[in-house]
Amino acid sequence: MDSPKNILVCVTQQKTCERLIRKAANLKNELKGELFVIHVAKNAWNFLDNIKEGEALDYLFRISKSVGADLSVLKSDNIVETIVAFAKEKNISHIVMGESPNDHKENNFFSDLKSMLPNIEITVVPQEEI
């Protein structure tokens, strides 16, 4: 029997990330693994002072719980390394993330993750699927 496949969803502090959590929940049902949701905030970001971001994270927390996942909010100035460490610790086999907005194409988030986690399947959900 195959070992369970654990799935990690990378979210930002936006309610639109609900679609990523729901897509990963479907994958979890197929793969029979555990589902983890992570949001990494830079140390300088104080999202608790920002009502909108706090509300969005609370909303994503509730969505995560509804599909049987834990939402972890971590603070780090190196977002990619933090996600890589989390993925290794939780024995992640799949990552679900959203496509970067067009004005962030220089953001090499996907490439960095892929190079640091070559054995993990990464699914990028296009923005059109919102």
Side-chain angles (χ1 to χ4, degrees):
M1 185 174 133
D2 290 339
S3 59
K5 309 274 191 239
N6 292 338
I7 301 114
L8 177 63
V9 187
C10 301
V11 299
T12 60
Q13 66 282 14
Q14 296 174 325
K15 290 184 177 181
T16 54
C17 289
E18 174 184 350
R19 79 191 199 286
L20 302 176
I21 296 169
R22 298 227 180 265
K23 188 165 191 79
N26 292 337
L27 193 58
K28 173 191 137 179
N29 293 337
E30 281 175 39
L31 300 174
K32 309 288 185 245
E34 282 189 69
L35 180 57
F36 299 91
V37 182
I38 190 172
H39 171 64
V40 182
K42 291 209 177 222
N43 287 317
W45 296 345
N46 191 351
F47 50 79
L48 297 177
D49 282 348
N50 183 323
I51 303 283
K52 238 180 157 170
E53 290 181 6
E55 281 177 4
L57 279 176
D58 185 53
Y59 177 78
L60 294 175
F61 177 77
R62 290 195 310 270
I63 298 296
S64 298
K65 281 287 176 220
S66 77
V67 297
D70 285 322
L71 169 62
S72 299
V73 179
L74 306 175
K75 290 194 103 170
S76 171
D77 284 329
N78 193 321
I79 293 172
V80 171
E81 277 184 16
T82 301
I83 291 171
V84 167
F86 188 91
K88 288 178 178 173
E89 178 189 324
K90 301 295 185 188
N91 202 17
I92 299 298
S93 62
H94 290 70
I95 293 178
V96 175
M97 58 186 270
E99 181 182 48
S100 293
N102 289 336
D103 57 348
H104 288 87
K105 285 298 182 206
E106 74 284 354
N107 176 346
N108 292 323
F109 185 70
F110 171 81
S111 306
D112 292 348
L113 270 183
K114 194 70 191 149
S115 68
M116 294 172 86
L117 296 168
N119 299 324
I120 293 182
E121 189 175 316
I122 301 177
T123 302
V124 178
V125 180
Q127 288 187 304
E128 298 81 60
E129 290 189 24
I130 295 177

